[in-house]
Amino acid sequence: MSADGDWKVTVKSPMGSQDATLTLDSSGDSLSGKFVGPQGEQTFDGGVADGNQLSWNIKMTQPMPMNLDFLAQVEGDTIDGSVKLGAFGDATFTGTRA
């Protein structure tokens, strides 16, 4: 099952829950996309799609520079995973296909 498309996700971070739209586009085992949330739009490429396991990095610039490292699993029309929030610890996220 392809992870491509738009996902409505909720990140449960130490700063509270934040809703966002995640757009994924895979080509073979390469993954790119964008993450649109309260801090604006962040694009990424260089991610990896290995079956239903996904990983990618977002170099966030607003409100402060920070690397976000995502690990996710897609199961049908649901996605869930974890994200390392730079020096701010870890968070989880869940979502459904839009």
Side-chain angles (χ1 to χ4, degrees), residues 25-82:
D25 183 24
S26 63
S27 176
D29 63 356
S30 297
L31 183 69
S32 61
K34 66 182 176 179
F35 190 85
V36 181
Q39 285 74 37
E41 181 177 311
Q42 310 291 326
T43 60
F44 65 91
D45 57 16
V48 176
D50 183 10
N52 68 340
Q53 303 293 313
L54 311 173
S55 62
W56 68 93
N57 174 273
I58 294 176
K59 295 182 183 337
M60 192 170 88
T61 58
Q62 295 295 326
M64 67 188 76
M66 181 185 332
N67 284 333
L68 306 178
D69 295 310
F70 286 81
L71 294 174
Q73 177 176 307
V74 173
E75 188 72 37
D77 288 334
T78 62
I79 188 169
D80 65 349
S82 62

